[in-house]
């Protein structure tokens, strides 16, 4: 298959939820090739704190962490959306060490943070913490948007607003 021509001086990265955590971490690297970062509800808080909430509280976190060190080498977890995941001890340890908010200030370039006013998976406080860590970032709050941002429901207005916000941001930032 033929590769598309890529202008390596005009690369941007978009991260959604856990992908936002990755985008912030990659963007902070000294060898980062990205000139702009777009974040949709970035899971940017300290990894262990985030996991305790996402996994259902401290007791469930402790149980899953212990299970991940067992003979299977992973803990089986079912998300609130019904996805079954196998979480390794390495995943837990990497998440514990992960503190993307501390890295955000290392990025040099345009950044946008988009989140929904009804998102309870990545609450507004986490998005606002990203802005506090990188004050040059712009913030867009999407009305009536939960963590699915219309991608998994019938909210075409929400999806359109999210899509056009990022398209406009990257078009402007990567001229």
């Amino acid at each position: 298959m033929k590769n598309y021509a890529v202008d390596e001086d005009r690369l941007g990265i978009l991260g959604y939820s856990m992908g936002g955590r990755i985008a912030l971490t990659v963007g902070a690297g000294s060898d980062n090739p990205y000139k702009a970062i777009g974040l949709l509800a970035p899971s940017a808080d300290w990894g262990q704190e985030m996991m305790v909430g996402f996994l259902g509280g401290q007791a469930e976190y402790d149980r899953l962490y212990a299970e991940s060190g067992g003979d299977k080498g992973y803990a089986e977890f079912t998300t609130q959306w019904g996805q079954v995941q196998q979480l390794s001890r390495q995943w837990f340890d990497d998440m514990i060490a992960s503190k993307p908010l501390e890295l955000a200030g290392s990025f040099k370039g345009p950044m946008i943070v988009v989140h929904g006013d009804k998102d309870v998976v990545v609450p507004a406080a986490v998005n606002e913490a990203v802005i506090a860590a990188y004050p040059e970032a712009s913030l867009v709050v999407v009305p009536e948007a939960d963590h699915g941002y219309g991608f998994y429901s019938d909210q075409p207005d929400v999806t359109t607003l999210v899509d056009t916000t990022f398209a406009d941001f990257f078009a402007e930032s990567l001229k």
Side-chain angles (χ1 to χ4, degrees), residues 2-61:
K2 186 176 178 180
N3 292 326
Y4 289 99
V6 173
D7 183 344
E8 293 182 15
D9 294 325
R10 295 174 42 188
L11 296 176
I13 186 170
L14 172 66
Y16 173 18
S17 195
M18 267 309 224
R21 172 179 225 86
I22 295 167
L24 280 169
T25 302
V26 169
S30 60
D31 58 347
N32 163 36
Y34 301 106
K35 307 300 182 213
I37 296 178
L39 303 169
L40 178 57
S43 174
D45 46 347
W46 176 47
Q48 187 165 0
E49 181 179 283
M50 184 279 304
M51 286 187 300
V52 167
F54 184 74
L55 298 175
Q58 189 66 51
E60 185 64 3
Y61 167 83

Side-chain angles (χ1 to χ4, degrees), residues 120-140:
V120 296
V121 175
V122 177
V126 174
N127 296 281
E128 291 160 5
V130 174
I131 298 295
Y134 195 78
E136 298 84 7
S138 55
L139 176 66
V140 174

Side-chain angles (χ1 to χ4, degrees), residues 142 148-165:
V142 181
Y149 294 90
F151 304 135
Y152 312 104
S153 63
D154 187 22
Q155 290 180 288
D157 293 343
V158 168
T159 304
T160 298
L161 178 57
V162 170
D163 291 349
T164 57
T165 296

Side-chain angles (χ1 to χ4, degrees), residues 75-162:
E76 192 164 288
F77 172 69
T78 304
T79 71
Q80 67 188 36
W81 302 284
Q83 301 156 321
V84 177
Q85 300 177 339
Q86 296 176 345
L87 308 176
S88 70
R89 176 58 62 97
Q90 183 66 50
W91 180 82
F92 278 95
D93 291 344
D94 287 348
M95 288 298 294
I96 290 167
S98 174
K99 297 181 180 180
L101 286 176
E102 292 178 8
L103 302 173
S106 299
F107 179 70
K108 304 297 180 225
M111 182 186 295
I112 189 170
V113 178
V114 178
H115 78 94
D117 66 353
K118 306 267 189 273
D119 190 340
V120 296
V121 175
V122 177
V126 174
N127 296 281
E128 291 160 5
V130 174
I131 298 295
Y134 195 78
E136 298 84 7
S138 55
L139 176 66
V140 174
V141 179
V142 181
E144 301 303 314
D146 62 15
H147 197 65
Y149 294 90
F151 304 135
Y152 312 104
S153 63
D154 187 22
Q155 290 180 288
D157 293 343
V158 168
T159 304
T160 298
L161 178 57
V162 170

